[in-house]
Amino acid sequence: MSESKPNASEVLERLSSSYGVTTQKELAVCLEIPAGNVSAWMQRGSVPGNAIIKCALDTGADLSWLVNGVFANANFKKTYVSRGLRTDRGKSLLKKMLSTGGKAVLKRIMDAYGFTTQKELGEYLEISTGTISTWFRREYFPGDVVITCALDTGASLEWLATGEMNTESQEESAISGTPSIPKKILLAGKLDDDGFCYIDESFVPQGANFNSLNYVRSGKSAWVIEMGVNQLSNGSWLLDIDGALDVYAVSKRPGNKLRIVGSDGEFECLTNEVIVKGLVVLILKNAL
C-alpha cells in the first residue's frame, strides 16, 4: 500500500502553525531537537513521523491536517494549549511514545488493522518482514507506520503511540460519532486489557448498555460482551467456571440445571456452580 509523500515544506508550516511559532529554530525547540534537523528535513523533502506524532499529541492538532492539509473532521476546532502546559505534556508524551517501541507498538498496530501476523502487516504496507522483525528486536518506534495506521483505521493516535487513551480522548470519540469501548484479550482463562476499539452503535442490539460493552477476542473468535449482566438465560455468556473465564452457549434445564457448550465440549451443571460475568450481545466470526 504505497502513497505519495506529503510536501515537507507544507508539513513544517503546519507544525509551526500548530505550535504558534514562525521560525525553524522555535519549531526545533518545541520538538526538542537540534535546530539543524529541521533544515535537514527541508533538504531531504521528508518530515519524520515521530515529529508529526509529537505535534499532534502535544498541541491537539488534527493528524490528517498535519500530514496532508485536510481535516479528517470537518467540524474540527483547534484547541490552543498554553506553552507551559504544552511543554510538560509534550515531554511526558514523548517519553511514553519512545519507550513503547518494538513489540508493544507493533502489537497495537496489528490489533488496529485486525492482523495476527507480521507477514500480513508487511504485505499490506509493502514493508519487508525483515524490516518489521528489526523494529521488533531493536525496540524501534516506527513513527511513519503509526501515522499511517491512525489515518487508515481511525484508531486513537495517543493509544497507538503510547498505549494509553485518556478520558477526554474517549469522550471526543463518542462526540465525533465513533464511540470507543474497552478491548480485552481472553487468554488462559483470564481477561487482559488490550486498548480500545471503535464500534458503530447500530451494530449493538437494542436494550444493551453501551457503557458496559467490552470487545473480547480469543484466537480467531471475538465477541461484544455486556459486562455485569448476571440474570442467566438461554444464550451465549462469559462465565467463570472453577476460576477460569471462557465464553459458552448456555441453555437452562429443569431442576436448576444448565447445559453448557464450549470449545472443548459440553456438560451439565447446577446454576450455582458457575459465576456469570457478562452477556454476549454480538458474535464476530472469522470468515476463513
Side-chain angles (χ1 to χ4, degrees):
M1 192 187 84
S2 57
E3 296 181 359
S4 58
K5 290 186 176 180
N7 182 284
S9 176
E10 294 176 355
V11 171
L12 289 173
E13 286 181 6
R14 291 191 286 270
L15 293 179
S16 297
S17 174
S18 298
Y19 278 115
V21 298
T22 57
T23 68
Q24 291 185 5
K25 183 177 180 180
E26 289 175 313
L27 178 59
V29 171
C30 293
L31 293 174
E32 301 180 55
I33 58 172
N37 285 21
V38 180
S39 298
W41 298 343
M42 284 283 289
Q43 294 173 1
R44 192 169 63 238
S46 176
V47 179
N50 289 15
I52 298 172
I53 293 173
K54 182 182 186 302
C55 180
L57 296 180
D58 203 1
T59 67
D62 183 80
L63 178 63
S64 180
W65 176 72
L66 287 175
V67 174
N68 55 43
V70 178
F71 286 117
N73 182 353
N75 296 321
F76 174 80
K77 294 181 181 180
K78 185 171 178 60
T79 302
Y80 292 92
V81 182
S82 67
R83 179 163 295 189
L85 292 175
R86 189 175 63 206
T87 300
D88 291 341
R89 175 172 166 79
K91 289 180 179 179
S92 174
L93 287 171
L94 182 63
K95 184 177 180 180
K96 290 177 183 177
M97 186 176 82
L98 297 181
S99 67
T100 185
K103 181 179 179 180
V105 71
L106 282 172
K107 182 178 184 302
R108 292 193 293 273
I109 291 170
M110 289 195 294
D111 284 346
Y113 276 117
F115 296 144
T116 57
T117 66
Q118 294 179 16
K119 184 174 183 292
E120 291 175 293
L121 179 65
E123 290 177 348
Y124 181 73
L125 295 178
E126 297 181 9
I127 300 172
S128 71
T129 54
T131 297
I132 296 176
S133 295
T134 299
W135 297 344
F136 188 95
R137 291 195 311 272
R138 297 183 180 179
E139 293 297 321
Y140 175 74
F141 183 88
D144 292 340
V145 176
V146 170
I147 289 175
T148 299
C149 181
L151 294 177
D152 207 9
T153 67
S156 162
L157 177 64
E158 183 169 353
W159 174 70
L160 285 172
T162 68
E164 299 178 3
M165 181 186 284
N166 59 38
T167 303
E168 181 181 352
S169 297
Q170 295 176 51
E171 290 175 350
E172 287 175 356
S173 295
I175 292 172
S176 68
T178 53
S180 63
I181 62 175
K183 187 178 180 184
K184 309 282 187 180
I185 182 169
L186 180 60
L187 185 64
K190 295 184 178 181
L191 276 183
D192 292 322
D193 292 336
D194 197 29
F196 295 86
C197 67
Y198 298 95
I199 182 170
D200 190 320
E201 291 182 87
S202 63
F203 287 102
V204 180
Q206 190 173 7
N209 181 359
F210 192 91
N211 294 327
S212 298
L213 297 182
N214 278 214
Y215 173 89
V216 178
R217 67 181 181 90
S218 177
K220 293 184 178 180
S221 300
W223 311 267
V224 175
I225 300 177
E226 184 177 359
M227 307 300 287
V229 179
N230 53 23
Q231 296 298 317
L232 202 59
S233 60
N234 294 341
S236 295
W237 295 82
L238 176 66
L239 302 178
D240 181 334
I241 299 179
D242 294 333
L245 296 174
D246 207 345
V247 173
Y248 300 92
V250 177
S251 57
K252 302 186 77 172
R253 292 288 190 264
N256 212 27
K257 293 181 179 180
L258 302 172
R259 178 172 177 264
I260 308 290
V261 180
S263 57
D264 297 329
E266 61 181 83
F267 58 92
E268 286 194 358
C269 66
L270 297 174
T271 56
N272 61 6
E273 293 179 312
V274 304
I275 300 174
V276 184
K277 293 295 185 179
L279 170 65
V280 176
V281 299
L282 188 64
I283 299 176
L284 306 174
K285 292 186 176 181
N286 194 320
L288 299 179

